[in-house]
Amino acid sequence: MEKFMYDSSLDEHANYQHWRYLNDCEREMFGERKLTECEAKQRFGELKRDGWLIKQNDEAKADRRRNDQS
């Protein structure tokens, strides 16, 4: 399963669309109901406001740098 990483070179809508696709796939894989459009937009906004989406991207970049150095 691909892990979502917020791409600051893309606009918020493009990031949301990618996150939504991955979230739908993950929910389907685990037999969970997909979020409605309203629920998905609200959840994405919460994750972005809380800094979680950006934090995950920063951590992934740091991991790649560490791996490149080894």
Side-chain angles (χ1 to χ4, degrees), residues 1-64:
M1 178 89 232
E2 180 183 349
K3 183 176 179 179
F4 175 77
M5 289 191 350
Y6 194 92
D7 185 344
S8 57
S9 70
L10 300 175
D11 66 16
E12 185 167 338
H13 181 71
N15 276 290
Y16 166 75
Q17 293 289 14
H18 186 64
W19 173 84
R20 175 78 193 267
Y21 170 76
L22 294 176
N23 186 266
D24 284 351
C25 290
E26 183 175 353
R27 287 175 171 277
E28 188 174 300
M29 190 168 63
F30 289 102
E32 297 177 3
R33 133 186 117 68
K34 293 180 184 177
L35 299 175
T36 65
E37 185 69 20
C38 183
E39 290 170 328
K41 284 182 178 181
Q42 182 177 5
R43 185 66 183 136
F44 183 81
E46 291 168 355
L47 292 171
K48 188 169 185 267
R49 272 191 306 280
D50 291 346
W52 188 86
L53 294 175
I54 306 302
K55 180 181 171 209
Q56 295 299 309
N57 188 30
D58 291 345
E59 289 174 359
K61 285 180 182 177
D63 286 345
R64 279 197 301 272

Side-chain angles (χ1 to χ4, degrees), residues 62-70:
D63 286 345
R64 279 197 301 272
R65 279 193 293 272
R66 282 191 294 273
N67 289 338
D68 289 346
Q69 292 173 353
S70 18

